[in-house]
Every structure is written in C-alpha cells, then in structure tokens.
C-alpha cells in the first residue's frame, strides 16, 4: 500500500448520522403523505413542538454527525 492511501476504517459517526437522516426523511415523507404539504407547513411553523420539528432536528443532528465522521484524524506512528 502506498503512503497516500488512507484507509478510514469503520466510522460510527457517519453510520449514526446516516441512520438519523434516513429515519427523519421517512417520518417527514410519511407526514407529507398523510396530512399534505399545507398542514405539514402549518405544523412546521407553529409555536408547538410537533413531529415535523423533531424530524428536522433529527435531520440536522444526522448531518452534524456525518460532518464529524468526515473530519480528518491524525495518524499515530
């Protein structure tokens, strides 16, 4: 192997982030199919804590975890 190739190994930050993004997308699409875009927009922008806001938070957290997974680590040795 050359010194330029860096094998990342298993990265659980990216895996957890991807899982959060997939789950948030599934829930959000389910709400769109059940309630329709008008109601989902109303639920998303009202003052109460709703399922749509939790889904958006999960999506943001998933993107954050994926970004953490792609940061560079220093190699020891």
């Amino acid at each position: 192997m050359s010194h330029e190739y860096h094998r990342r190994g298993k990265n659980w930050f990216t895996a957890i982030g991807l899982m959060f993004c997939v789950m948030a997308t599934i829930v959000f699409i389910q709400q769109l199919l059940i309630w329709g875009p008008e109601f989902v927009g109303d639920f998303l922008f009202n003052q109460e804590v709703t399922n749509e806001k939790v889904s958006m938070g999960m999506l943001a957290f998933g993107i954050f975890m994926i970004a953490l997974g792609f940061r560079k680590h220093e190699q020891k040795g």
Side-chain angles (χ1 to χ4, degrees), residues 11-12 24 43 59 66:
N11 188 345
W12 70 274
F43 291 143
L59 191 62
I66 290 171

Side-chain angles (χ1 to χ4, degrees), residues 55-71:
S55 293
M56 291 299 111
M58 284 177 60
L59 191 62
F61 181 72
I63 292 169
F64 173 72
M65 291 295 284
I66 290 171
L68 275 179
F70 281 117
R71 68 180 176 183

Side-chain angles (χ1 to χ4, degrees), residues 35 38-46 48 50 52-53:
W35 295 104
E38 309 87 34
F39 283 111
V40 171
D42 290 342
F43 291 143
L44 194 58
F45 295 114
N46 66 9
E48 299 173 6
T50 59
E52 289 77 11
K53 291 177 188 170

Side-chain angles (χ1 to χ4, degrees), residues 10-63:
K10 294 181 181 177
N11 188 345
W12 70 274
F13 284 113
T14 306
I16 296 295
L18 187 61
M19 182 192 67
F20 268 85
C21 289
V22 167
M23 291 303 298
T25 303
I26 289 172
V27 171
F28 193 71
I29 290 173
Q30 178 186 11
Q31 293 298 324
L32 279 173
L33 292 175
I34 292 173
W35 295 104
E38 309 87 34
F39 283 111
V40 171
D42 290 342
F43 291 143
L44 194 58
F45 295 114
N46 66 9
Q47 298 295 325
E48 299 173 6
V49 176
T50 59
N51 195 15
E52 289 77 11
K53 291 177 188 170
V54 172
S55 293
M56 291 299 111
M58 284 177 60
L59 191 62
F61 181 72
I63 292 169

Side-chain angles (χ1 to χ4, degrees), residues 6 8 11 13 68-76:
H6 173 66
R8 294 175 49 110
N11 188 345
F13 284 113
L68 275 179
F70 281 117
R71 68 180 176 183
K72 298 205 178 214
H73 296 285
E74 294 181 17
Q75 286 185 343
K76 296 179 183 177

